[in-house]
Amino acid sequence: MAGDTTTPSRALRAATQSLLPSGRAQEYIALRNSNFFSSNENRGESNESGSTHAGCSLRPLLPHQKRRITLRIAQVAPLYESVPPHTYGGTERVVSYLTEELVKMGHEVTLFASGDSITAAKLIAACPQALRLNKSNPDPFVYHTLQLERVAELLASFDLVHFHTDYSHFPLSRWLGYPQITTLHGRLDIPDLIALYRGFSDMPLVSISLAQRKPIRFAHWVGNVYHGLPLDLFHARTEPGEYLAFVGRISPEKRVDRAIRIAEKAGIPLKIAAKIDRVDAEYFEQVIKPMLSSRYVEFVGEVDQPAKQELLSHAIAMVFPIDWPEPFGLAMIEAMACGTPAIACGMGSVPEVIDEGVTGYVIHSEEEGAEAVARCAELDRAACRRQFELRFSAARMAAEYVELYSHLSRRKGKAALHGSSS
C-alpha cells in the first residue's frame, strides 16, 4: 500500500552485511540504521520537531560470512552531464559514487548514461556525450526516451532498476511491473508534482533527506538515503583557513549575493566557484555580476575535482546561504570531507546534514552568517572530517541502497539473491 514500509528481517540484514569484504570492513563500520524503512508519519514528526538526525545509532557489522549476495543492478542516470561530470553536476556525481561502490562490493552493475561517462560498470550510452556540453543543443527528451527504450529492452538482465531520472519512467514501470526504485534528487514543492505523485502513488521512492518529503508525504517512500562520497576523494587540511568559499551554481535560489554580503560583513575574502546555466544567465548579468567588483570577491568559475579540493581545504568555511528547500546539498559534505565547516541557511536538508558546532553552523540571517565565520575558524577541522567519515561515506550510502535493493528485488517472484562462495 502506498506509503507503507516494511522492516527487513535480521536474516536479510545479515545477508546484506555479508557483502562487505573483510579488508574493507572499517569503511562500513559506521552504518546507521536511522534512514531505513521508518513509517512516513514518524519521519514527518521527527523532522518537524526539529530533530536533525531522527535516530543515529550505529549498526555493528556481523562477522564476515561464507555466502555473498550478488545483485544485477541497472543504474539509470540523467544525460545532461557525464557520470561522473567533468565539473558541476550533483546528481550524476552521486550516481557515479554509488555505481563504483556497488561494483567494488561485487555486484553486476550496468550504467545507463552518456557515452563520455567513465565507470567500472558496464556502460550503455543513449547519446555520445553529455547533453549540457554539446554545442549543437540537442533535445534532451529525445535521448532520455531512447535511454528508457534501452532499459526496457534489457529488463530481463536485471534484478532491479534504480532510476535517477525523476518520473519519466513511471508509466512504463507501472505497466511492466518490474522491480525498480527511484531516488528523487530535486525539489518537490512544485504544485504540479502533487497531482503527478498522487497519480503514481504506487511508485517506490527514495528521498535524500527527510525534509525533501514534506510536499508529498503521501507518496510511497521506501527509504531515505543520504548522499555519500568516497573517503579518498577529498583530503582534510587541519591548518586554519584563509578565506570563505562558495561552491555550486549561480541561481536565485542559491543566493550567492548573500554569500558576498556575509563576506563583506565579516571582512573576509570570498572565492566563488560556480557554473552559470543558460536559464540563469540574465540573473547573473543583472544581479550578481555587478557585485563581483567588491574587493572581497574573487570569481573563479567552474572548477574540476583537484581545484575544488584546493579551494575548499584552504577555506575558513564554505558558505551555503540558500533560499529554497535544498533536497540535500552535496557541497556541504564536500567541504566537511576537507575538514572545512559549512555556514548554511536553515532550510530544507541543512539541519539534517550539519552537526551544529562540529561540522558548521545553521544560520537564519546574513548577520548570523557573519558572526559564524569567526566561530568556524575555531572549530576542530579534524573532528569535522571524522564526522564526515562517520555519516557521509559512499560505502555507507551503497550499503544502505543494497539493503533496499535486496528487500525490493524479485526474480520470478522470489528474492534475487545469488549465493557464491567467497
Side-chain angles (χ1 to χ4, degrees):
M1 184 170 61
D4 285 352
T5 50
T6 306
T7 302
S9 67
R10 290 184 178 180
L12 174 59
R13 187 171 284 117
T16 301
Q17 289 165 337
S18 72
L19 279 164
L20 311 178
S22 56
R24 301 193 57 194
Q26 288 304 314
E27 294 187 30
Y28 296 85
I29 201 68
L31 279 178
R32 299 183 308 119
N33 59 10
S34 61
N35 298 338
F36 274 56
F37 301 110
S38 296
S39 71
N40 293 347
E41 181 180 1
N42 290 340
R43 282 306 188 187
E45 290 174 355
S46 63
N47 193 50
E48 288 179 344
S49 67
S51 172
T52 54
H53 315 310
C56 53
S57 59
L58 303 184
R59 181 172 63 231
L61 296 180
L62 296 181
H64 188 60
Q65 301 173 0
K66 292 184 178 180
R67 305 283 292 177
R68 178 178 297 173
I69 304 168
T70 301
L71 294 171
R72 303 173 304 169
I73 306 161
Q75 296 289 334
V76 185
L79 300 173
Y80 300 105
E81 308 284 349
S82 61
V83 178
H86 299 294
T87 50
Y88 186 88
T91 298
E92 293 85 356
R93 196 172 301 280
V94 170
V95 174
S96 175
Y97 301 152
L98 174 58
T99 298
E100 303 315 302
E101 283 294 332
L102 292 172
V103 172
K104 290 178 185 177
M105 294 169 75
H107 297 290
E108 299 175 18
V109 186
T110 301
L111 173 63
F112 292 83
S114 63
D116 52 348
S117 299
I118 300 173
T119 180
K122 178 181 179 181
L123 176 64
I124 296 182
C127 57
Q129 69 176 119
L131 300 181
R132 185 175 74 91
L133 301 179
N134 190 326
K135 295 181 180 179
S136 67
N137 195 25
D139 182 347
F141 185 76
V142 169
Y143 292 98
H144 283 96
T145 301
L146 290 172
Q147 181 185 63
L148 190 56
E149 173 63 15
R150 290 292 287 137
V151 173
E153 289 174 355
L154 298 171
L155 279 179
S157 303
F158 310 122
D159 295 320
L160 181 136
V161 181
H162 187 171
F163 288 97
H164 302 268
T165 52
D166 291 327
Y167 47 81
S168 60
H169 68 95
F170 281 3
L172 178 72
S173 294
R174 171 179 283 173
W175 287 104
L176 295 184
Y178 55 93
Q180 48 81 26
I181 61 172
T182 302
T183 294
L184 297 179
H185 292 265
R187 67 189 303 171
L188 301 176
D189 61 332
I190 299 171
D192 290 342
L193 292 182
I194 295 176
L196 184 136
Y197 286 105
R198 286 198 185 280
F200 289 94
S201 59
D202 54 324
M203 291 291 104
L205 306 176
V206 179
S207 57
I208 56 177
S209 70
L210 304 180
Q212 184 193 29
R213 299 181 177 188
K214 283 186 177 181
I216 55 169
R217 293 190 190 280
F218 56 83
H220 183 26
W221 298 108
V222 297
N224 179 71
V225 181
Y226 295 131
H227 290 335
L229 310 177
L231 294 183
D232 60 355
L233 183 66
F234 291 98
H235 304 285
R237 181 175 180 269
T238 57
E239 293 80 5
E242 304 158 6
Y243 50 81
L244 299 175
F246 176 96
V247 177
R249 58 185 168 89
I250 303 286
S251 64
E253 66 271 17
K254 294 293 186 177
R255 294 304 298 267
V256 69
D257 59 314
R258 283 180 176 173
I260 294 171
R261 287 192 291 270
I262 288 172
E264 290 175 336
K265 292 176 188 295
I268 301 293
L270 171 69
K271 294 188 177 184
I272 301 172
K275 76 165 183 174
I276 306 168
D277 285 333
R278 293 188 188 97
V279 68
D280 297 312
E282 183 177 354
Y283 168 76
F284 172 75
E285 291 292 331
Q286 294 184 358
V287 179
I288 301 302
K289 191 173 181 179
M291 300 181 73
L292 299 183
S293 61
S294 169
R295 65 189 181 93
Y296 289 100
V297 176
E298 178 184 351
F299 184 71
V300 180
E302 287 192 73
V303 295
D304 58 15
Q305 181 61 35
K308 187 185 292 185
Q309 162 73 49
E310 181 72 12
L311 176 74
L312 288 174
S313 63
H314 285 79
I316 299 170
M318 194 278 295
V319 188
F320 198 70
I322 56 170
D323 193 16
W324 72 307
E326 176 70 60
F328 184 79
L330 198 63
M332 288 187 287
I333 66 171
E334 290 176 333
M336 294 173 197
C338 296
T340 300
I343 298 172
C345 289
M347 300 185 68
S349 66
V350 167
E352 296 177 53
V353 175
I354 290 182
D355 290 279
E356 187 82 5
V358 179
T359 61
Y361 293 99
V362 178
I363 63 170
H364 300 90
S365 69
E366 293 172 12
E367 288 72 23
E368 287 185 8
E371 293 171 2
V373 173
R375 286 184 288 157
C376 279
E378 298 173 355
L379 292 181
D380 184 343
R381 295 173 69 93
C384 181
R385 167 70 190 199
R386 287 194 297 270
Q387 192 67 358
F388 156 75
E389 293 178 358
L390 181 68
R391 298 190 61 210
F392 298 115
S393 72
R396 184 273 314 157
M397 173 178 65
E400 290 184 357
Y401 272 121
V402 165
E403 188 164 355
L404 282 172
Y405 300 157
S406 301
H407 182 69
L408 296 171
S409 66
R410 296 291 184 269
R411 182 184 295 164
K412 296 181 180 179
K414 297 181 179 180
L417 305 180
H418 311 291
S420 64
S421 59
S422 55

